[in-house]
Amino acid sequence: MFKIFNWNSGIVEKTRMKNRIMTGSEAVMQSLLDEQIDTVFGYPGGGIMPIYDALFDYQNKINHILTRHEQGLIHAAQGYARVSGKVGVCFATAGPGATNLITGIADAMMDSTPLVCIIGQVASPLLGTDAFQEADVVGMTIPCTKWNYQITSGNKIPEILSKAFFIANSGRPGPVVISITKNAQLEKISYNYLKTSFLKSYKSKTYPEYKRIQEVATLINQAKKPFLVFGQGIILSGAELLLKQFIEKTGIPAASTLLGLSALSSDHPNYVGMLGMHGNYAPNLMTNKCDVLIGIGLRFDDRVTGDASRYAKQAKIIHIDIDNAEINKIVKVDIPVLGDASEVLEALIPLVKSGSYKLWMKEFKDRFSDEYSQVIEKDLYPKDDKPNMGVVIRMLNELTNNETILVTDVGQHQMIASRYFNFKNTRSLVTSGGLGTMGFCLPAAMGAKLGQPTKTVVAIIGDGGFQMTLQELGTISQYNISVKIIIMNNSFLGMVRQWQEMFFESRYSFTDMESPDFVKLADAYIIPASRVTEKSKLMQAIKKMLEHNGPSLLEVIVEKEDNVFPMIPPGASVDEIILKLQSNKNV
Amino acid sequence: MKNYIITTYAENNIGILNRILNIFSKRMVNVESLTVVETEENGLSKITIVITSTEDLVSNIVKQINKQIGIIKTAFDSNTEVFYQKISLYRMITKSLNFHEETIPAFNTNSMQ
C-alpha cells in the first residue's frame, strides 16, 4: 500500500495496482466497483450497448434495476441517494434516453442530491452531425448539473468517473453527467483507478473562520428572542446530533424547511414546526418577531421567505452554509459563515451559553394552539365520515410507530403529509422540494426501498402525480420491491384547484381529472390493491396494506375540494400567513 | 446600474465558457463584451466580461461563476476602479525591412495619440 499525492492531477493514489487491459465499458464497471457502488438504475439503448454488454458479466456484483422510463430510473436513483447518503448511479442511452433524464437531473440539482448519470453517446466521429439518437447532452445539462463531461477516449474513463463520484458527493452534493461516446466504450484501455480527493479548481471543503463563529456565539448569547431555522444541510453534513445538542444547550426554538424535515425528531420539545408557504403558523409568524435568526444549511427559498423584502427585517440574521453562492442571494445576512454545518456547530456549541427562553417558547405554543383549533383539529379529526388526507397521515403515524420512510409526490398531499407525519429518524422523508416534480414519488419510493431495504417505505401520491409515472408499477412488480403506495384521490389537481379557488375566482380551468380504476390497474401488475371510501374502514385498510409482505396499493377517496392551510399567499410576507379562506379573495 | 468588469481564470476545457455564460442568461443579464485569452500558465484561460448591472447582482453572479468546477478564481471591479491601457497596432507599408525613422517618414509621435 502506497499513498502518493500527485499535486498536478490532485489525485491521491491509495493502492498501486497492476494495470489491467480491458474495454472502456469494463472500465466503467470496475470503476463502479472501486467506488463501492452496488446498485444501478438504468435503461439500455443503442448508444450504451457496450456498457450493458459489460454489465452482463457483472450481474452478481452490481444490482441493475431496469425501470420502465428514464424519468423513473433517475427519480429512483434520487430516492436511493436521499435515504442512503450514497451516490445514485444511472445508466441511460444517447438522445431520447438522455433528454428523458433531464427532469430528474434538474430536480437533483435543486435538492442537492448526489447522482452520477452515465449516458451513452454516438461515436465521436459522428458528434455534431445530427447522427441517429444524437443529442448534445453536455450542452443541455450545463444549467442543471454540478459538473458534466463528455468522454471521447476510453483512457479517460477511470479518471473522469473518479472525479465524477468525488464531485457528486462532496461539498454541496449534486448531479454529475458523464457522456461516453460509443467508440470510447469499445476501446481497449489499461485500467488503473485512482480515487480523487482533491481538485485544483473545486473547493470541496470550507474552513470556517473561528472569528466569525465567535461573533455568532456572542450574538446568540445576547439574544432575547433567538430563532433557529434549518434545512437539508443538516442531513447532508450529518449534523443531526450536533443540532440537537445545540438547541438543547441553548434552548432556542427550531423550525425546519421542507427538506430539513426528519433532521430533528418531530416530537422534540424545541421543535416548533415547518417553515414555508404551507408550513406551521408559529414559525412563520415568529420569523418576523425574533431578534436573532440563525439559518443553518438552508437556502432561503422563496417558498420559505415569502416576500423577501419583508423577511425578518427586525432580526440580525446569521447564515451558516457550505455554498458561498447561497449567502446573500435572497436574504441579506449580518453574519455569514461559510462552512459545513457539522463543523460550524461543533465549534459553536462550546461557545454558546446554556439557557432557556420560556416566555419566547410560550409565544410559539400560543400560536400553535391557534393553528390547532382552527386547522389541525379539523384536518386530523374531522367530524364527517369521509376520509381526508390528514386522517390518513394520522393513522399512518399511529400504525407505524414512525419508523417508516415517507415518500411524497407534489401538491396538497405533500404538504399535508409533511405537516402531520411524525418524523423520528433522519433521512425519513423523500420529497421533491425545489423543483416540485409531479410523478417523482412512485419511482423515488422504489429507490428508497432499495436504499434502505429494512425500512417500510410508504409512498403518498395524488391521483394526478401517480398517473405521470405509473408505468413504474411494472418495475415494482418485476423486482417485487416492497413499496406501500397510498393514492389520495380527490379527482382534482388539488393544489392548482386550491389556487384557482383562492386567486382565480374559482375558475377551475382543466384541473378536474378522471382516473382509471387504480385497483384494477394494480391488479394488472399483480400488486394487491384496495379502495377505501369510508373513514371507519380506513384504519383496517392501511393496517392490511402495511402488513402485506411485498408491494401493495391503497386508493383513498378523499374530500374533493379540501384546502391546505395555513398558507402564505404568494407575494405576501411570512407574517401575513392565513389560517382559513378569507372572504376577500384579493389576499 | 453601473458597468462592471468580471475577470475569471478558468481551466481551458470544452464547455466551460458555456457554463459561465449560462449564468448570465439565467439571470437575464446582457454580456456587453467578452474576451478569452490564454494565460502564461498552461491550460488556464483568462476570461474578461463586461456587463451593466447592480453591485448585488454582479456579486451574486461572481459567486455563481466561482462555484463552477473548472474555475480557479473570479473577481469583479466597477468601471471606475479600473485603469485602462490601450495598445494600438499600426500596419505601414515600407520599402525595406530596415526600421529606420527615415524609411517610415509618416511615423511621428503625434500619430500615436
Side-chain angles (χ1 to χ4, degrees):
Chain A
M1 280 273 268
F2 290 90
K3 248 194 175 175
I4 297 166
F5 188 72
N6 181 339
W7 279 101
N8 279 329
S9 66
I11 288 174
V12 175
E13 289 185 29
K14 270 202 175 152
T15 49
R16 301 212 90 192
M17 287 185 298
K18 224 177 148 194
N19 291 5
R20 279 176 291 164
I21 305 295
M22 56 177 77
T23 63
S25 304
E26 266 183 88
V28 173
M29 297 304 135
Q30 278 299 337
S31 306
L32 294 183
L33 292 181
D34 281 338
E35 286 288 341
Q36 276 92 44
I37 298 296
D38 49 16
T39 308
V40 170
F41 301 88
Y43 204 105
I48 198 169
M49 281 183 69
I51 289 181
Y52 268 84
D53 188 59
L55 181 63
F56 197 66
D57 295 329
Y58 283 80
Q59 285 179 63
N60 52 351
K61 291 180 186 143
I62 296 170
N63 180 22
H64 177 272
I65 306 294
L66 173 70
T67 57
R68 296 296 178 270
H69 187 286
E70 282 89 358
Q71 192 189 351
L73 77 86
I74 189 146
H75 290 328
Q78 285 180 277
Y80 177 86
R82 287 271 283 274
V83 300
S84 67
K86 291 189 248 176
V87 180
V89 181
C90 311
F91 283 171
T93 189
T99 53
N100 276 343
L101 285 185
I102 287 181
T103 307
I105 298 173
D107 193 291
M109 186 68 178
M110 289 280 243
D111 288 350
S112 311
T113 311
L115 294 185
V116 170
C117 306
I118 296 168
I119 301 176
Q121 179 61 292
V122 297
S124 48
L126 290 174
L127 283 173
T129 64
D130 301 327
F132 176 65
Q133 290 198 332
E134 186 197 352
D136 177 14
V137 177
V138 171
M140 278 177 200
T141 55
I142 281 177
C144 56
T145 48
K146 192 173 170 188
W147 187 58
N148 59 7
Y149 194 88
Q150 183 149 280
I151 303 177
T152 50
S153 138
N155 290 320
K156 282 254 179 193
I157 288 175
E159 180 200 330
I160 296 298
L161 284 183
S162 159
K163 259 176 96 171
F165 280 99
F166 171 62
I167 289 169
N169 209 13
S170 60
R172 179 180 176 181
V176 172
V177 163
I178 303 298
S179 151
I180 309 179
T181 58
K182 209 164 173 181
N183 58 305
Q185 297 172 32
L186 293 164
E187 227 169 81
K188 282 259 188 257
I189 66 153
S190 141
Y191 178 84
N192 184 15
Y193 197 81
L194 310 167
K195 226 171 150 93
T196 308
S197 61
F198 170 87
L199 286 172
K200 207 160 60 176
S201 63
Y202 166 58
K203 292 170 208 78
S204 65
K205 267 185 88 70
T206 46
Y207 301 95
E209 295 169 66
Y210 193 66
K211 219 183 102 212
R212 279 284 164 81
I213 293 174
Q214 279 176 319
E215 279 174 46
V216 169
T218 317
L219 191 57
I220 293 174
N221 289 340
Q222 287 166 354
K224 298 274 178 300
K225 293 175 168 186
F227 181 34
L228 188 145
V229 292
F230 63 89
Q232 200 195 193
I234 297 289
I235 299 172
L236 293 172
S237 97
E240 295 92 343
L241 266 179
L242 288 164
L243 175 77
K244 204 165 152 237
Q245 279 173 22
F246 178 80
I247 57 170
E248 278 169 5
K249 184 173 178 190
T250 55
I252 296 176
S256 169
T257 66
L258 176 62
L259 288 192
L261 288 174
S262 85
L264 187 66
S265 155
S266 303
D267 52 14
H268 193 281
N270 287 43
Y271 180 69
V272 292
M274 184 173 84
L275 296 161
M277 187 172 257
H278 290 289
N280 289 96
Y281 192 51
N284 277 316
L285 274 182
M286 293 316 188
T287 308
N288 277 5
K289 293 238 159 51
C290 62
D291 61 355
V292 172
L293 185 72
I294 311 150
I296 310 180
L298 82 166
R299 59 187 177 92
F300 292 109
D301 171 76
D302 64 283
R303 284 295 194 264
V304 163
T305 61
D307 179 2
S309 65
R310 287 181 284 159
Y311 183 78
K313 284 289 161 205
Q314 80 298 341
K316 289 253 185 252
I317 304 178
I318 299 162
H319 190 188
I320 300 166
D321 202 281
I322 197 165
D323 183 357
N324 196 24
E326 292 300 345
I327 287 170
N328 283 331
K329 187 176 86 172
I330 292 164
V331 172
K332 283 259 167 283
V333 298
D334 297 281
I335 310 181
V337 184
L338 185 62
D340 187 63
S342 51
E343 269 177 34
V344 176
L345 279 171
E346 209 168 353
L348 195 57
I349 289 169
L351 301 177
V352 289
K353 62 174 191 205
S354 46
S356 65
Y357 300 87
K358 281 205 181 95
L359 282 174
W360 175 229
M361 272 307 260
K362 196 178 167 294
E363 286 191 48
F364 279 91
K365 276 178 194 142
D366 291 346
R367 302 295 148 90
F368 178 77
S369 349
D370 292 346
E371 187 186 344
Y372 189 85
S373 60
Q374 291 194 53
V375 182
I376 301 176
E377 198 172 19
K378 275 182 254 172
D379 276 355
L380 298 186
Y381 304 96
K383 299 219 163 61
D384 51 341
D385 191 42
K386 194 123 196 228
N388 67 359
M389 299 185 191
V391 175
V392 178
I393 305 298
R394 171 173 62 89
M395 288 178 175
L396 262 180
N397 282 339
E398 287 163 14
L399 286 170
T400 60
N401 199 20
N402 309 325
E403 291 290 346
T404 44
I405 291 175
L406 180 76
V407 187
T408 80
D409 210 71
V410 173
Q412 286 189 319
H413 70 277
Q414 175 191 33
M415 291 299 116
I416 295 282
S418 22
R419 280 169 54 78
Y420 298 129
F421 193 78
N422 282 330
F423 296 97
K424 195 165 154 192
N425 303 313
T426 183
R427 291 185 184 273
S428 59
L429 172 71
V430 180
T431 190
S432 167
L435 198 67
T437 310
M438 275 176 76
F440 173 83
C441 179
L442 189 65
M446 196 165 92
K449 180 68 190 175
L450 293 162
Q452 291 269 22
T454 53
K455 292 260 175 86
T456 308
V457 174
V458 180
I460 306 277
I461 321 182
D463 49 325
F466 181 71
Q467 289 181 74
M468 281 201 175
T469 47
L470 64 79
Q471 76 282 352
E472 298 309 330
L473 285 177
T475 315
I476 289 172
S477 176
Q478 181 179 349
Y479 296 98
N480 196 26
I481 303 167
S482 180
V483 177
K484 313 293 174 194
I485 306 156
I486 301 181
I487 302 174
M488 309 259 208
N489 188 352
N490 58 3
S491 310
F492 260 118
L493 299 174
M495 190 59 96
V496 185
R497 190 211 52 77
Q498 177 174 344
W499 280 54
Q500 286 173 338
E501 182 184 347
M502 292 176 72
F503 312 117
F504 294 90
E505 295 158 351
S506 296
R507 285 152 58 90
Y508 293 164
S509 181
F510 301 99
T511 40
D512 58 326
M513 184 178 256
E514 264 180 44
S515 300
D517 186 328
F518 291 130
V519 175
K520 275 189 186 160
L521 187 80
D523 193 42
Y525 285 102
I526 326 171
I527 293 172
S530 57
R531 180 183 297 116
V532 178
T533 49
E534 290 152 66
K535 201 169 73 186
S536 51
K537 291 182 181 156
L538 189 58
M539 191 75 144
Q540 195 54 38
I542 298 177
K543 201 167 173 224
K544 201 177 130 205
M545 182 197 69
L546 290 171
E547 277 167 2
H548 175 76
N549 188 15
S552 54
L553 185 145
L554 177 71
E555 181 190 4
V556 185
I557 308 293
V558 294
E559 187 54 51
K560 278 183 89 163
E561 299 193 22
D562 261 352
N563 287 332
V564 185
F565 284 109
M567 180 178 193
I568 305 171
S573 150
V574 275
D575 55 10
E576 289 165 350
I577 184 166
I578 51 173
L579 285 173
K580 54 175 186 281
L581 211 59
Q582 297 188 330
S583 49
N584 173 18
K585 291 281 166 76
N586 301 322
V587 270
Chain B
M1 297 287 259
K2 267 205 283 190
N3 260 348
Y4 288 93
I5 298 165
I6 299 168
T7 321
T8 175
Y9 290 89
E11 283 175 0
N12 196 356
N13 295 336
I14 293 165
I16 192 113
L17 188 63
N18 207 341
R19 237 174 213 284
I20 295 169
L21 294 181
N22 215 335
I23 294 163
F24 293 92
S25 50
K26 189 169 144 187
R27 292 245 180 193
M28 299 282 285
V29 174
N30 194 25
V31 173
E32 285 162 23
S33 98
L34 164 75
T35 43
V36 185
V37 285
E38 259 181 42
T39 62
E40 55 274 34
E41 201 172 325
N42 206 9
L44 273 194
S45 301
K46 181 186 176 189
I47 301 168
T48 314
I49 298 162
V50 178
I51 59 167
T52 305
S53 126
T54 59
E55 174 119 16
D56 280 354
L57 187 57
V58 75
S59 81
N60 269 322
I61 287 175
V62 164
K63 279 189 209 166
Q64 263 163 350
I65 295 176
N66 247 335
K67 189 174 145 179
Q68 304 303 320
I69 288 148
I71 303 290
I72 306 289
K73 197 180 169 189
T74 311
F76 73 94
D77 300 289
S78 80
N79 212 351
T80 50
E81 293 163 333
V82 179
F83 287 109
Y84 284 99
Q85 207 172 25
K86 282 188 180 166
I87 301 169
S88 27
L89 285 176
Y90 293 90
R91 192 166 133 183
M92 277 166 259
I93 301 160
T94 58
K95 284 187 181 119
S96 75
L97 282 171
N98 181 15
F99 267 70
H100 193 267
E101 270 186 36
E102 284 156 32
T103 57
I104 29 174
F107 190 92
N108 61 47
T109 45
N110 284 340
S111 68
M112 289 295 284
Q113 290 159 4

